[in-house]
Amino acid sequence: MLLSRLLASAALLALGGAWVVPQGEPKETTILDEREEELRKQRDALSELVASYSKTCKELKIDSWLMHSSLLGWWYNKQVLPWEKTIHVQVFEPDLAFLARNYNMTVFHRRRGRDYLLYVNPEYANWERTDTSGAADARWIDMESGMSIDIMAVRYRRGSEDEDETAMSCRNGYEIKDTQIIPLRKTWFEGFAVQIPYRYRELLHEEFGDETLWHPGTGNDEYRFNDQMMSWDLKSK
Ligand SMILES: *[C@@H]1O[C@H](CO)[C@@H](O)[C@H](O)[C@H]1NC(C)=O
């Protein structure tokens, strides 16, 4: 008697539970679907940014390479980190000067009817550290989405005499050695041909530390790295 009552209330509870789930679920799925759709569009725009920029560099005979969080995304799964809205690359200063002279504000028509604007920041040649805006030296801008590739130039440092002759830096103070950059390695990113620095592993280690390199997504609230699929999953809230 007691047992059957217990079973009945357990069944009721289970039923109750079953009622709660379908009511809560549709709403959450919708939010997640919208977020996924938004991310898909963003991803699409980002991978077209990579494709169009790579093609243009090749045409203009400019070397450029992935850096910072874009290099980290490449390290994980050869894709942009899903929470990123900007791609980060570097070029050598003479190449940026060439772009500034010849292609500032040029609109490039690229595949799938997309237009990209190359903007060169007038501060790009100001190495006095008086520009504290943190703005990139140049940007490759998707004119539809507004998303961009941030381009930073590196140049040899004119420091003290005993300074390592391989030492280079960005206008914002980021330091790198030419031996870490060249010879550039050819690889793929978002499915398109790109270049990365020669000592990418060392650069990633210096910038992010081993914990981040070997444990993708540590510190990210929204995504979980799926080791089997080698992709990022949106965590359900
Ligand atoms: C590029 O063009 C824009 C718009 O005319 C201008 O504001 C900017 O100073 C130019 N950049 C350089 C490096 O001349």
Side-chain angles (χ1 to χ4, degrees):
M1 184 64 186
L2 183 65
L3 185 67
S4 64
R5 246 196 219 175
L6 268 174
L7 282 175
S9 53
L12 256 174
L13 262 177
L15 243 174
W19 277 104
V20 173
V21 176
Q23 273 176 357
E25 227 170 27
K27 206 172 142 213
E28 267 187 277
T29 313
T30 312
I31 291 168
L32 222 63
D33 281 352
E34 275 171 14
R35 182 84 180 107
E36 258 160 15
E37 176 60 16
E38 183 193 321
L39 283 168
R40 200 193 52 73
K41 276 198 188 142
Q42 193 173 303
R43 291 286 318 244
D44 205 39
L46 284 169
S47 73
E48 286 303 318
L49 265 177
V50 176
S52 57
Y53 179 72
S54 287
K55 183 174 196 276
T56 307
C57 284
K58 208 170 169 189
E59 280 177 11
L60 303 181
K61 299 190 168 60
I62 292 230
D63 273 325
S64 188
W65 54 94
L66 297 180
M67 279 304 292
H68 308 301
S69 52
S70 300
L71 191 58
L72 184 64
W74 170 85
W75 164 265
Y76 288 145
N77 65 352
K78 301 206 165 34
Q79 288 175 4
V80 182
L81 295 173
W83 54 90
E84 292 269 312
K85 292 189 174 61
T86 307
I87 292 169
H88 300 277
V89 301
Q90 288 179 347
V91 295
F92 291 116
E93 190 196 21
D95 282 342
L96 187 65
F98 166 79
L99 291 177
R101 276 195 310 274
N102 301 292
Y103 294 100
N104 184 28
M105 301 306 280
T106 303
V107 175
F108 293 79
H109 307 291
R110 289 302 181 225
R111 57 180 219 154
R112 294 170 66 186
R114 291 177 182 257
D115 287 342
Y116 297 88
L117 173 73
L118 180 72
Y119 166 77
V120 184
N121 183 345
E123 293 281 344
Y124 89 92
N126 171 9
W127 288 79
E128 302 305 317
R129 305 291 295 276
T130 51
D131 169 33
T132 52
S133 68
D137 289 338
R139 292 172 69 208
W140 178 254
I141 306 164
D142 174 349
M143 293 178 76
E144 197 184 310
S145 71
M147 286 198 278
S148 68
I149 296 188
D150 276 13
I151 306 165
M152 294 301 282
V154 293
R155 74 165 185 181
Y156 287 102
R157 291 159 65 89
R158 291 197 214 107
S160 56
E161 271 175 29
D162 52 73
E163 188 154 56
D164 181 352
E165 61 183 22
T166 68
M168 302 190 87
S169 70
C170 286
R171 220 157 48 82
N172 62 14
Y174 177 82
E175 293 181 10
I176 191 164
K177 294 179 196 301
D178 65 1
T179 49
Q180 291 177 307
I181 303 172
I182 44 178
L184 289 163
R185 294 174 190 267
K186 295 192 188 310
T187 178
W188 302 93
F189 190 56
E190 291 288 331
F192 300 101
V194 297
Q195 302 192 98
I196 56 164
Y198 185 64
R199 296 191 185 277
Y200 62 88
R201 175 79 181 75
E202 188 177 285
L203 290 167
L204 284 168
H205 173 79
E206 281 172 13
E207 188 168 355
F208 300 102
D210 271 345
E211 177 66 15
T212 305
L213 292 197
W214 300 108
H215 302 281
T218 26
N220 190 275
D221 300 334
E222 212 182 353
Y223 298 90
R224 188 184 297 110
F225 195 70
N226 183 329
D227 287 319
Q228 257 96 53
M229 304 299 290
M230 290 298 280
S231 67
W232 294 94
D233 291 340
L234 204 53
K235 288 181 191 170
S236 21
K237 299 263 155 64

